[in-house]
Amino acid sequence: MVGLFDENRNYPELGCTDLGSFLAANTHARRSEGVTRQTHNNVLSVLPRFSEALYSGHVGVGHLKALAAAISTERQDLALKHEELIVASAAKLSVVQFGQFMNHWAALCDDGLNDPAAGDERLIPKRQLSVRELSDGMWRLAGLRDPLSGETVRAAIEAALPKPAPDDVRTLTQRPNVAIHIEAFTGLAYTPQLFSLSKITRDMVCCDAAVSAVWLNTSGKPFDVGTPTTDIPARNRKAIAARDLCCRW
């Protein structure tokens, strides 16, 4: 219905800029809800099989939201190419699991597209932060951060908090820790919250990070953890120097 209404609609003649503002002015819906519905309609028009699965009840609206969050204009052609896999995954996965699946899919697509502004990098222009003093002397902090800088802010706040336990002997400079996980065989990187990071962000973080190897058993459970190290083996350094001629970051 949203798609039919939005088709060939001249919003300036109606005193609005887009569908979201029209719905906000004429219904009880918020503008963001109208924009979301418009985005969902665009996704369903690009992926007819997913649309059929949604209308037949094999996938839910939550799956549609996760799908819409992962599909950008640059990824639409790849989404259509992989539609059968996407529909099959949505049908058997929970909304949370499907969201993680789409994050991984988006990261792989962005690596294939070799787009430096893709992946988690596309979220950087959305970053914002406001700090405001309230009338009672309290302060309000609000904002949006991309996955990596969000982890950095979280670590900085935790470092400024009191020690979590009386026997914690770490100093403030030792307590902050930003962790990302990298799969050895696939190279996929993601935050502890399972938000996929682009290859560009992964390489940047690894440039001067301490690396700990974690070995998993066949069921995916960790059974051994290596000692953190920042040392680059001499053979690796020579190989990188021969390949890149300089530090990439």
Side-chain angles (χ1 to χ4, degrees):
M1 292 176 63
V2 169
L4 291 174
F5 180 85
D6 190 42
E7 187 175 354
N8 300 323
R9 191 71 58 178
N10 192 336
Y11 289 109
E13 290 184 357
L14 301 175
C16 304
T17 57
D18 54 22
L19 175 65
S21 59
F22 177 86
L23 291 179
N26 294 276
T27 72
H28 292 290
R30 293 175 297 177
R31 182 183 183 280
S32 58
E33 181 181 347
V35 173
T36 298
R37 291 181 181 275
Q38 191 174 27
T39 301
H40 289 176
N41 173 69
N42 294 339
V43 171
L44 294 177
S45 64
V46 172
L47 302 177
R49 292 184 183 178
F50 191 94
S51 180
E52 293 175 2
L54 177 68
Y55 295 142
S56 63
H58 289 87
V59 302
V61 176
H63 295 91
L64 173 59
K65 292 180 179 179
L67 178 64
I71 294 184
S72 62
T73 303
E74 296 80 7
R75 303 190 192 115
Q76 286 186 358
D77 290 341
L78 288 173
L80 182 59
K81 180 180 179 181
H82 301 155
E83 184 177 17
E84 185 175 347
L85 172 63
I86 291 174
V87 173
S89 301
K92 68 180 181 180
L93 297 176
S94 69
V95 172
V96 174
Q97 291 172 330
F98 182 65
Q100 296 169 358
F101 169 84
M102 290 307 302
N103 279 336
H104 281 287
W105 175 86
L108 289 172
C109 289
D110 295 338
D111 286 344
L113 292 170
N114 194 27
D115 181 2
D120 54 296
E121 302 292 324
R122 75 187 189 281
L123 301 176
I124 290 180
K126 299 181 180 180
R127 293 186 303 186
Q128 54 181 284
L129 179 66
S130 63
V131 181
R132 184 163 62 92
E133 185 177 9
L134 305 180
S135 58
D136 60 355
M138 299 290 287
W139 289 81
R140 182 188 302 277
L141 282 74
L144 294 173
R145 312 305 303 165
D146 63 90
L148 184 59
S149 65
E151 284 290 319
T152 304
V153 171
R154 176 197 58 77
I157 292 176
E158 289 184 356
L161 294 176
K163 292 186 176 182
D167 59 348
D168 190 343
V169 297
R170 293 176 299 170
T171 65
L172 285 179
T173 57
Q174 293 172 329
R175 285 168 60 189
N177 181 25
V178 177
I180 68 170
H181 303 267
I182 303 175
E183 297 178 359
F185 292 106
T186 64
L188 289 176
Y190 45 89
T191 68
Q193 291 74 31
L194 300 181
F195 189 96
S196 296
L197 300 173
S198 65
K199 182 189 297 183
I200 293 175
T201 301
R202 178 200 66 192
D203 293 348
M204 179 183 66
V205 172
C206 287
C207 180
D208 58 357
V211 178
S212 299
V214 180
W215 287 269
L216 309 179
N217 60 23
T218 54
S219 61
K221 303 295 183 181
F223 68 87
D224 195 11
V225 179
T227 303
T229 177
T230 57
D231 295 333
I232 301 176
R235 62 181 182 276
N236 289 12
R237 185 180 294 277
K238 290 180 180 178
I240 292 173
R243 183 190 67 184
D244 301 333
L245 304 181
C246 62
C247 176
R248 298 173 63 186
W249 297 103

